[in-house]
Amino acid sequence: MKIIGDYHTHTIYSHGKGTIEDNVKAAIEKGLKEIVISDHGPGHVFYGVNYKKLQKMRKEIDELNKKYKDKIKIYLGVEANIISVDGDIDVTEKEMKLIDKLLVGFHNGALPKSFRDFNELYIKNKLSKLNHKLKEECRKTNTQAMINAINKYKIDIITHPGAKVDIDTRELAKAASKKGTALEINASHRFLTLEYVKIAMEEGVMFSIDSDAHKPEDVGRFDWALNVAKEANLPPSRVINAQHD
Ligand SMILES: [Zn+2]
Ligand SMILES: [Zn+2]
């Protein structure tokens, strides 16, 4: 399987090491035809990108698209955070207008919408590591929050499902499949796992194979994810950023 674009990369706008152009150059060197710059959503307390930063990134990407127009297509994305059980994310309508691709994931460090959400999505998930009954409850809440987000927004990719909090892969895949949202096989976090990919495949969902690079040299580094895809017998036709011929 040949991957033609890396749809999940970070830059200095959040906590990556390279500039947008550094990532673009690295992608070109790896022979990629597309790249998505997807820094963390504004709700992330330490390194979220706010409206002003997104505006700057939009401008920079528009210029780079002119400069590299024969080589690569650059998209502005954001890796939004789930901030409530109801599936709210930390990207506003206004911010949504600036971006080309919406990625959504669970992250620690994102500001929850209310105290109830803080309790349900953060405290309980932490405590569930020690309590089996709570683990089951959290799995349900986490899954429902993500499904609510899928039904509420037009999400392109759910990033690293299962990496930060426990999720029911089958239920997630069912909802994502209906809405045309891809589930990510993330080479950095190593989620979806092989087991989860096999479950998700049965529900007809699409996948995205990404590096989640935090430095330019990792852009296009898909090895682990490609290996999982191979082991799962995942055909390129089921991968949004694979070459389809
Ligand atoms: Zn992430
Ligand atoms: Zn990321």
Side-chain angles (χ1 to χ4, degrees), residues 131-148:
N131 179 329
H132 185 72
K133 223 177 131 206
L134 196 57
K135 197 171 150 70
E136 285 300 308
E137 184 192 324
C138 282
R139 187 177 166 85
K140 278 201 186 112
T141 312
N142 300 336
T143 307
Q144 199 50 54
M146 196 52 106
I147 291 174
N148 290 342

Side-chain angles (χ1 to χ4, degrees), residues 176-194:
S177 169
K178 269 189 214 139
K179 286 284 176 172
T181 299
L183 301 187
E184 185 178 60
I185 309 176
N186 184 305
S188 295
H189 287 290
R190 306 197 163 185
F191 278 92
L192 299 164
T193 59
L194 173 59

Side-chain angles (χ1 to χ4, degrees), residues 8-231:
H8 187 169
T9 73
H10 293 274
T11 72
I12 47 171
Y13 279 102
S14 56
H15 61 325
K17 297 274 181 286
T19 63
I20 295 178
E21 189 164 15
D22 291 336
N23 280 17
V24 168
K25 282 187 186 160
I28 294 169
E29 265 172 43
K30 298 261 171 85
L32 297 176
K33 298 287 173 216
E34 293 175 350
I35 184 168
V36 179
I37 304 298
S38 52
D39 281 311
H40 287 280
H44 204 289
V45 231
F46 304 111
Y47 33 71
V49 286
N50 55 22
Y51 183 73
K52 228 173 146 186
K53 270 194 187 175
L54 278 172
Q55 261 183 324
K56 219 173 142 210
M57 295 170 83
R58 177 77 269 168
K59 225 175 131 204
E60 209 175 310
I61 286 177
D62 289 345
E63 275 159 23
L64 289 170
N65 265 322
K66 279 180 214 148
K67 185 169 170 186
Y68 294 102
K69 78 172 187 306
D70 299 325
K71 294 201 162 86
I72 195 163
K73 176 86 186 125
I74 311 148
Y75 297 96
L76 174 60
V78 66
E79 187 180 10
N81 301 291
I82 295 273
I83 56 164
S84 82
V85 175
D86 295 336
D88 292 294
I89 61 169
D90 60 343
V91 178
T92 62
E93 282 296 320
K94 192 175 149 198
E95 286 155 351
M96 215 87 84
K97 289 201 174 80
L98 290 173
I99 63 170
D100 308 309
K101 305 269 181 200
L102 180 60
L103 289 73
V104 175
F106 274 109
H107 295 94
N108 300 317
L111 215 57
K113 201 176 173 189
S114 69
F115 182 75
R116 176 181 162 250
D117 297 309
F118 180 60
N119 187 41
E120 293 293 324
L121 297 176
Y122 291 75
I123 297 177
K124 281 192 181 175
N125 269 310
K126 289 269 178 289
L127 294 174
S128 73
K129 297 205 164 55
L130 308 162
N131 179 329
H132 185 72
K133 223 177 131 206
L134 196 57
K135 197 171 150 70
E136 285 300 308
E137 184 192 324
C138 282
R139 187 177 166 85
K140 278 201 186 112
T141 312
N142 300 336
T143 307
Q144 199 50 54
M146 196 52 106
I147 291 174
N148 290 342
I150 288 173
N151 291 330
K152 202 175 257 193
Y153 305 96
K154 170 83 198 74
I155 302 174
D156 294 290
I157 301 167
I158 301 296
T159 60
H160 45 70
K164 308 274 179 183
V165 300
D166 201 15
I167 274 193
D168 185 325
T169 305
R170 190 175 299 282
E171 292 306 315
L172 176 70
K174 269 185 203 163
S177 169
K178 269 189 214 139
K179 286 284 176 172
T181 299
L183 301 187
E184 185 178 60
I185 309 176
N186 184 305
S188 295
H189 287 290
R190 306 197 163 185
F191 278 92
L192 299 164
T193 59
L194 173 59
E195 183 198 348
Y196 290 168
V197 170
K198 284 181 180 166
I199 294 169
M201 275 172 81
E202 292 171 3
E203 301 302 329
V205 74
M206 294 293 283
F207 297 85
S208 182
I209 289 183
D210 301 311
S211 72
D212 200 356
H214 285 70
K215 42 185 196 297
E217 55 267 42
D218 287 342
V219 171
R221 192 166 277 175
F222 306 120
D223 312 2
W224 181 87
L226 277 174
N227 207 36
V228 164
K230 198 177 158 197
E231 297 255 312

